Amino acid sequence: KKNVNIKHVVQAVVTLCKPLVTGKSLEINNNIPDGLPPVEVDEDRLYQIFYNLIGNAIKFTQSGRIDVSATVRERFLEVTVEDTGIGIPEDKTDVIFNDFEQISSSVSYVYSGIGLGLSITKKLIELHGGTITVKSEQGKGSRFVFTLPVGKIKAGR
């Protein structure tokens, strides 16, 4: 683990994900403010967390926006990845973090995947001492909120 500037990681992941947006009327916004303290994480795993969450948001959002934001909550950064996509049925929000869980077979047929991304993401966040939750409304989008521990010194630019 080391201190990592979360805004820089998000910007790199957004850049990596640009080809996934091709053909969609979709904007991705890195709304993480300058000057936030760093998080103390395994940097490679942080890239994986954001790639999974932003990649899913792109996959399930045909048009609209994806917003990534963060704020300090005591000794943690609280990070939000919010989209205007298809959303998750209320009866599935408790199980989407399970291994091999998908919303439905018809959704998995259209969007592909085996249902491990969110399970892995949750485990990685928990291994760093954080938590992840989701709030979603079918047809209106999803909001994933997770926490990661703040590092010991202020991040450089």
Side-chain angles (χ1 to χ4, degrees), residues 105-125:
S105 58
S106 64
V107 169
S108 65
Y109 177 75
V110 173
Y111 293 100
S112 79
I114 59 173
L116 285 175
L118 290 177
S119 170
I120 291 167
T121 298
K122 180 177 193 270
K123 287 180 177 110
L124 290 174
I125 290 167

Side-chain angles (χ1 to χ4, degrees), residues 53 79-81 88 96-97 118 132-134 142-145:
L53 291 173
V79 183
T80 302
V81 178
I88 302 162
I96 61 165
F97 294 107
L118 290 177
I132 185 168
T133 59
V134 63
S142 300
R143 178 184 174 109
F144 288 85
V145 179

